Amino acid sequence: MAAAYELRCRECGKRYDNAPLSICEECFSPLEVQCDLDAAKRAFTREKIAAGPTSMWRYQALLPVPDDYNPATPAGWTPLLRAPRLAERIGAKNLWIKNDAVCLPTLSFKDRVVAVALANAQTFGFHTVGCSSTGNLANAVAAQAARLGLKSYILVPADLEPAKILNTQVYGATLVRIDGNYDHVNRLCSQIADRYNWGFVNVNLRPYYAEGSKTVGFEIAEQLGWRLPDNVVVPMAGGSLITKIRKAFKELIALGLVEEKEVRFFGAQATGCSPIAVAVKSGADTIEPQRPRTIARSLAIGNPADGIYAARVIRDSGGWAEDVSDVEIVSAIQELAETEGIFTETAGGVTTAVTARLYAHGRIKPEDLTVSCITGNGLKTTDALQGAYEQEAAIRPRLSDFENYLEERSDDRELVGGSSVR
Ligand SMILES: *Cc1c(COP(=O)(O)O)cnc(C)c1O
Ligand SMILES: [Zn+2]
């Protein structure tokens, strides 16, 4: 049976059969999966999707996996929530949150890309898989490899958050800490993948991996009642996610599932690692690599593989990119938690702080339907909030002690005494 997808060079257009390959041998540009949209048309109707599983696999017909693929992990299909309290704080009127802080199985959007990458690792016959990771990818590869019975080698920068290290090791993965930053780790992974013939999800399987990000875009459109938003705000590390949300919207338009519309794309980075945001702001068509220095470690890629493409998507769509300081990231984490009950990791702090600034600077109009993409869970980066909250001394389990306690808190003093009890 003919495959309904193949690899294609992004620059010269050369076509390749499906293989663990990520770079064009003619021009050294990145390869991308091209799905046969005509073939997908029959399998990809609103009705068939609605009858599918409540996971990202409801979009299987537009993902590069074999027709008869039987997924082991129900990742994705996360909530799209209105955010009225946050909106009020930042001057928005129609703000929504795509909440991948609760993406299963490992609480970040990386579960989506790994699900597609490992499906292909199996097709290509790899028994050992791995990745270079800033943290969330490590967790997702370790968990899903365990479930599929694959061996995994995970390479990370040595200074990763403790929770992200533990959340890799618990699945029995081999975790290799590298004395260097993500870009060093990634270069080493390319060499290992060649030497040992292992399937590295974001190296030799990268074109397949990247397609998993499309499901964020498919879900946003379906959850809005099959329409596209005016704007999306997306955090950027390697720059892949933002380009694939755009690809998802284009595919839905091509299939006639949503009305054509120009969605504006806004990119979010931390100032301590902002090569894509800098390129967008300066109008440059090249990415100047940076040495990362930020608490948003999941976004700390100084030389982003898809940086150029991300910058183009943003510029061509009429969007913009912003970067925010570590202090702003921490307050944005708190603000999102206090207003909407969503505890996100540092990357979500970046997205939330950038979203607020885009409204403040008039880059996003208050009435626009805007989706802010929260991509990871705060329980993985609790060290970012170290010292933010005081632990008070314990009190005895007596009402009088509680009343004394309230009295000592000046803010709450007016609550004490019979007159305030309604
Ligand atoms: C990896 C990651 C991103 C960015 O993904 P890219 O596709 O590399 O730009 C965003 N948020 C979180 C939490 C991530 O782990
Ligand atoms: Zn090429």
Side-chain angles (χ1 to χ4, degrees):
M1 189 179 51
Y5 53 93
E6 62 177 14
L7 296 177
R8 220 172 270 180
C9 175
R10 278 203 200 168
E11 296 300 333
C12 76
K14 186 177 158 74
R15 297 161 69 164
Y16 293 82
D17 286 338
N18 289 301
L21 207 61
S22 62
I23 304 285
C24 176
E25 55 198 26
E26 298 281 329
C27 73
F28 306 105
S29 300
L31 300 181
E32 185 176 35
V33 170
Q34 183 68 47
C35 290
D36 178 352
L37 292 185
D38 286 333
K41 221 163 205 161
R42 265 163 285 126
F44 211 69
T45 63
R46 288 183 186 181
E47 293 70 29
K48 285 192 180 150
I49 294 162
T54 49
S55 75
M56 61 179 264
W57 296 111
R58 64 207 275 109
Y59 311 109
Q60 186 163 335
L62 267 187
L63 294 172
V65 295
D67 269 351
D68 58 355
Y69 182 66
N70 187 13
T73 306
W77 196 246
T78 58
L80 179 73
L81 305 163
R82 265 202 98 131
R85 290 168 175 278
L86 178 65
E88 200 180 333
R89 285 251 193 123
I90 68 177
K93 296 217 160 73
N94 197 4
L95 178 63
W96 297 69
I97 286 170
K98 180 61 174 160
N99 187 14
D100 269 18
V102 293
C103 191
L104 294 175
T106 66
L107 306 181
S108 87
F109 100 94
K110 290 295 199 306
D111 286 318
R112 302 169 182 272
V113 287
V114 169
V116 178
L118 292 191
N120 284 277
Q122 290 178 296
T123 307
F124 297 137
F126 288 115
H127 300 293
T128 300
V129 296
C131 65
S132 54
S133 175
T134 56
N136 287 313
L137 188 60
N139 301 167
V141 170
Q144 295 189 43
R147 187 153 168 81
L148 294 171
L150 300 167
K151 266 177 91 79
S152 62
Y153 280 80
I154 315 284
L155 282 77
V156 297
D159 68 348
L160 215 58
E161 298 94 333
K164 284 185 179 162
I165 299 226
L166 179 77
N167 273 292
T168 304
Q169 291 175 317
V170 73
Y171 300 109
T174 305
L175 182 90
V176 189
R177 292 169 69 232
I178 306 293
D179 183 14
N181 64 33
Y182 174 82
D183 299 291
H184 301 127
V185 176
N186 199 46
R187 210 167 311 133
L188 176 61
C189 283
S190 299
Q191 296 169 331
I192 296 171
D194 284 348
R195 170 75 63 97
Y196 294 92
N197 192 35
W198 291 350
F200 272 67
V201 301
N202 56 340
V203 181
N204 50 350
L205 298 171
R206 188 171 178 86
Y208 302 96
Y209 154 102
E211 290 292 289
S213 289
K214 289 194 310 193
T215 59
V216 176
F218 294 149
E219 288 179 21
I220 289 172
E222 185 179 356
Q223 291 170 323
L224 287 173
W226 290 113
R227 65 199 167 114
L228 300 181
D230 296 310
N231 312 301
V232 287
V233 187
V234 186
M236 303 184 294
S240 176
L241 173 61
I242 193 167
T243 65
K244 297 303 168 183
I245 293 177
R246 156 113 143 175
K247 188 177 185 186
F249 290 168
K250 294 230 156 204
E251 287 182 350
L252 293 180
I253 292 169
L255 291 169
L257 284 169
V258 295
E259 237 172 73
E260 179 148 22
K261 177 172 180 179
E262 278 303 326
V263 179
R264 281 176 296 271
F265 286 80
F266 294 88
Q269 294 203 295
T271 304
C273 184
S274 50
I276 308 175
V278 166
V280 169
K281 287 176 171 176
S282 68
D285 199 40
T286 52
I287 300 288
E288 195 66 47
Q290 293 183 3
R291 182 187 298 263
R293 208 178 304 119
T294 169
I295 57 167
R297 297 211 190 97
S298 57
L299 302 182
I301 298 184
N303 191 11
D306 294 287
I308 288 282
Y309 299 102
R312 280 185 204 157
V313 161
I314 292 167
R315 214 174 287 138
D316 294 350
S317 74
W320 189 244
E322 278 294 346
D323 53 89
V324 290
S325 71
D326 286 1
V327 171
E328 291 171 287
I329 293 168
V330 172
S331 4
I333 289 173
Q334 294 169 311
E335 188 160 48
L336 181 63
E338 289 168 15
T339 54
E340 300 297 343
I342 294 169
F343 184 19
T344 185
E345 68 149 81
T346 46
V350 169
T351 309
T352 304
V354 164
T355 301
R357 188 183 295 171
L358 291 167
Y359 280 99
H361 289 187
R363 298 252 176 213
I364 291 182
K365 290 205 272 320
E367 305 74 27
D368 279 3
L369 198 173
T370 300
V371 176
S372 179
C373 294
I374 297 302
T375 46
N377 194 294
L379 293 174
K380 295 201 205 184
T381 61
T382 51
D383 43 327
L385 296 176
Q386 201 79 57
Y389 304 99
E390 253 174 65
Q391 286 306 326
E392 293 168 346
I395 60 170
R396 287 174 301 183
R398 289 186 190 152
L399 186 56
S400 58
D401 281 45
F402 181 69
E403 282 172 335
N404 288 339
Y405 165 85
L406 281 190
E407 222 159 277
E408 279 162 23
R409 293 173 61 105
S410 54
D411 285 354
D412 302 331
R413 190 163 293 156
E414 69 273 18
L415 292 175
V416 181
S419 62
S420 66
V421 176
R422 283 180 203 150

